[in-house]
Amino acid sequence: MTTILYSLAGADRSRPFSPHCWKIVLALRHKDLDFEEKPLAFTEISEVEGGFSKTVPILRDGDKLVSDSFQIALHLEEAYPDRPSLFRGEGGKAMARFVEGYSQTTIHPAISAIALMDIYNILAPADQAHFRKTREALFGKPLEEVFPDRDGAIAAFPAKLQALRHMLRSQPFIGGEKPLFADYIVFGALQWLKVTTGSVHLPQDDKALDWFERCLDLFDGAGRKVA
Amino acid sequence: MTTILYSLAGADRSRPFSPHCWKIVLALRHKDLDFEEKPLAFTEISEVEGGFSKTVPILRDGDKLVSDSFQIALHLEEAYPDRPSLFRGEGGKAMARFVEGYSQTTIHPAISAIALMDIYNILAPADQAHFRKTREALFGKPLEEVFPDRDGAIAAFPAKLQALRHMLRSQPFIGGEKPLFADYIVFGALQWLKVTTGSVHLPQDDKALDWFERCLDLFDGAGRKVA
């Protein structure tokens, strides 16, 4: 039975952009598993696998269906214990939750402030209507007015990665000498920014950019396949 | 041979306050090791153990001397493998570096902005002169003018713990169901704030405060012994 990763894309299906789905692309490659990626529009998610989940990633792994990126990583770790570990122990599993907390509360809001309109602009028409409606309800204002200072958000972005830079003084990856799922969590966020805006908006001499490039190189350049 | 932890205190030697030394107090208790804590003044550090280190913590463990809190934690893990692990695996060891990066770049600057003058005020006279001279050289202005908006810094502080709060939705400690060295890293920062200013400046209903209280409860309330 095929392993299928349902992910998210805009009008161009060849450019999936969801941060949470990119985490799982690299997690599946880390486990050296064959899979088929099926990028969906937002408004198609509820139509696949009998409406199993309102969000992607959704992983069909044989007869098993799992949603939520962290739950999928835990599933892969449990189902494929003989493949390279995504966590390297219980401490790593627990602390990946802290890295997730950092990514969700520090990096994701900063990326939203840059990329909100970029995301809107690459969506298929039906998704644009959905995206506008749900985000305008969430923010209580027209989409165009939610983050009026995109240049300011770009200028503020590099500072959000200070924790990563400090860590990079000690080791090349969050996982140590080699990457683990915690790296893919932060990679997914920056890949989301790159695919939707064309840049990660970091200076050329930034050690955090070097780390991102190392992640792009992984698994035959899996992250570079969406330029 | 006795195990000695050289730590840091102000005029009142019964109130050690260094964040990095508090990490090691809890790490030693975690390993269930007997030790004697010797709180020093800043200006005494270079006088102990033949001038081994310019900073504390310094651990004398039998015939071994180690400085730097992370190096001490690594030493304890290696020297006492049969005691409870501080990292629970290589992934946890690597990711504790990320938690350290977060603590150093996000929490420590926010605490400095609140507590700089509080720290100065509790130091012994010789240390006050040293502290003023080194910090004024670092910041390029009189100590009293470095952080003029203490109330603003207090108001901004709770937001610095968002990553921790997000993680606490999944588990009670950074280490998972039980605390690991990564918890002691962040605990040390908040304990520094508490001992020097009398409060961690978090609202009563804050999940991050609940976590801090859980850390204070550990090892017969080791952290509560300095009220």
Side-chain angles (χ1 to χ4, degrees):
Chain A
M1 221 166 167
T2 313
T3 299
I4 301 169
L5 171 64
Y6 296 99
S7 66
L8 185 70
D12 181 350
R13 297 296 171 113
S14 72
R15 299 176 54 76
F17 63 80
S18 156
H20 308 293
C21 298
W22 273 106
K23 298 176 195 174
I24 301 307
V25 169
L26 293 204
L28 287 160
R29 296 295 302 266
H30 186 105
K31 286 283 186 189
D32 201 18
L33 294 167
D34 288 328
F35 66 100
E36 181 186 353
E37 184 173 352
K38 292 192 176 177
L40 305 171
F42 274 115
T43 44
E44 293 168 344
I45 297 171
S46 61
E47 295 166 14
V48 300
E49 298 289 359
F52 174 72
S53 170
K54 290 178 181 172
T55 60
V56 286
I58 299 167
L59 186 75
R60 168 160 288 284
D61 189 17
D63 58 3
K64 185 129 185 166
L65 272 173
V66 194
S67 66
D68 179 274
S69 60
F70 209 98
Q71 292 304 323
I72 292 172
L74 292 174
H75 160 74
L76 295 174
E77 190 74 353
E78 193 183 332
Y80 303 97
D82 298 336
R83 306 292 183 103
S85 173
L86 288 164
F87 300 107
R88 295 193 77 192
E90 290 302 315
K93 198 178 284 180
M95 279 173 242
R97 280 291 195 188
F98 185 86
V99 176
E100 179 184 63
Y102 166 78
S103 186
Q104 290 297 122
T105 61
T106 303
I107 307 179
H108 278 234
I111 290 177
S112 292
I114 297 172
L116 188 72
M117 289 310 301
D118 300 86
I119 296 167
Y120 176 77
N121 288 328
I122 61 175
L123 297 179
D127 266 16
Q128 285 189 326
H130 164 82
F131 190 80
R132 179 178 288 281
K133 188 177 166 190
T134 53
R135 269 54 177 182
E136 291 189 347
L138 180 70
F139 292 111
K141 55 180 76 170
L143 209 53
E144 288 77 2
E145 293 174 19
V146 173
F147 298 115
D149 185 14
R150 187 175 186 273
D151 290 345
I154 289 173
F157 185 66
K160 306 298 180 185
L161 301 179
Q162 288 289 57
L164 182 71
R165 270 178 218 108
H166 193 283
M167 180 220 76
L168 290 168
R169 297 181 199 171
S170 304
Q171 57 202 28
F173 291 102
I174 303 174
E177 289 304 310
K178 293 186 175 180
L180 294 175
F181 187 64
D183 288 275
Y184 309 151
I185 291 172
V186 180
F187 169 81
L190 293 190
Q191 180 78 336
W192 173 39
L193 179 60
K194 180 164 180 273
V195 173
T196 57
T197 73
S199 171
V200 287
H201 305 285
L202 297 173
Q204 279 304 315
D205 61 351
D206 188 340
K207 299 289 185 190
L209 179 62
D210 296 343
W211 165 86
F212 181 67
E213 294 285 337
R214 284 195 292 279
C215 290
L216 284 171
D217 287 338
L218 295 169
F219 316 120
D220 308 315
R224 296 194 193 278
K225 282 169 188 162
V226 180
Chain B
M1 221 167 168
T2 313
T3 299
I4 301 169
L5 171 64
Y6 297 98
S7 65
L8 185 70
D12 181 350
R13 296 295 171 112
S14 72
R15 298 176 56 75
F17 63 80
S18 156
H20 309 292
C21 299
W22 273 108
K23 297 175 195 174
I24 301 307
V25 169
L26 293 204
L28 286 161
R29 295 295 303 266
H30 186 105
K31 286 282 187 191
D32 201 18
L33 294 167
D34 288 328
F35 65 100
E36 181 185 353
E37 183 172 354
K38 292 192 176 177
L40 305 171
F42 274 115
T43 44
E44 293 168 344
I45 297 171
S46 60
E47 296 167 13
V48 300
E49 299 288 359
F52 173 72
S53 170
K54 290 178 180 172
T55 59
V56 284
I58 299 166
L59 187 74
R60 168 160 288 284
D61 188 16
D63 58 3
K64 183 129 188 166
L65 272 173
V66 194
S67 66
D68 178 276
S69 60
F70 209 98
Q71 293 303 324
I72 292 173
L74 292 174
H75 160 75
L76 294 175
E77 190 74 351
E78 192 183 333
Y80 303 98
D82 298 335
R83 306 292 182 104
S85 172
L86 288 163
F87 300 106
R88 294 193 77 191
E90 289 304 314
K93 199 178 283 179
M95 279 172 242
R97 281 292 194 187
F98 185 86
V99 176
E100 180 184 62
Y102 166 79
S103 186
Q104 290 298 123
T105 62
T106 303
I107 307 180
H108 278 233
I111 290 176
S112 292
I114 297 171
L116 187 72
M117 290 309 301
D118 300 87
I119 296 167
Y120 176 76
N121 289 328
I122 62 174
L123 296 179
D127 265 17
Q128 285 188 326
H130 164 83
F131 189 82
R132 179 178 289 279
K133 188 178 165 188
T134 53
R135 269 56 177 181
E136 291 188 347
L138 180 70
F139 292 111
K141 55 180 77 172
L143 209 54
E144 289 76 3
E145 294 173 18
V146 174
F147 298 114
D149 184 15
R150 187 176 186 272
D151 290 345
I154 289 173
F157 185 67
K160 307 298 180 184
L161 302 178
Q162 288 289 57
L164 183 71
R165 268 178 221 109
H166 193 283
M167 180 220 77
L168 289 169
R169 296 182 199 171
S170 304
Q171 57 202 29
F173 291 102
I174 303 174
E177 289 304 311
K178 294 185 175 180
L180 294 175
F181 187 62
D183 289 274
Y184 310 150
I185 291 172
V186 180
F187 170 80
L190 293 190
Q191 180 78 335
W192 173 38
L193 179 60
K194 180 164 181 272
V195 172
T196 58
T197 73
S199 170
V200 286
H201 305 286
L202 297 173
Q204 279 304 314
D205 61 350
D206 188 341
K207 299 289 185 191
L209 179 61
D210 295 344
W211 165 84
F212 181 66
E213 295 285 337
R214 284 196 291 279
C215 290
L216 284 172
D217 287 339
L218 295 169
F219 315 120
D220 308 315
R224 297 194 192 278
K225 283 171 186 160
V226 180

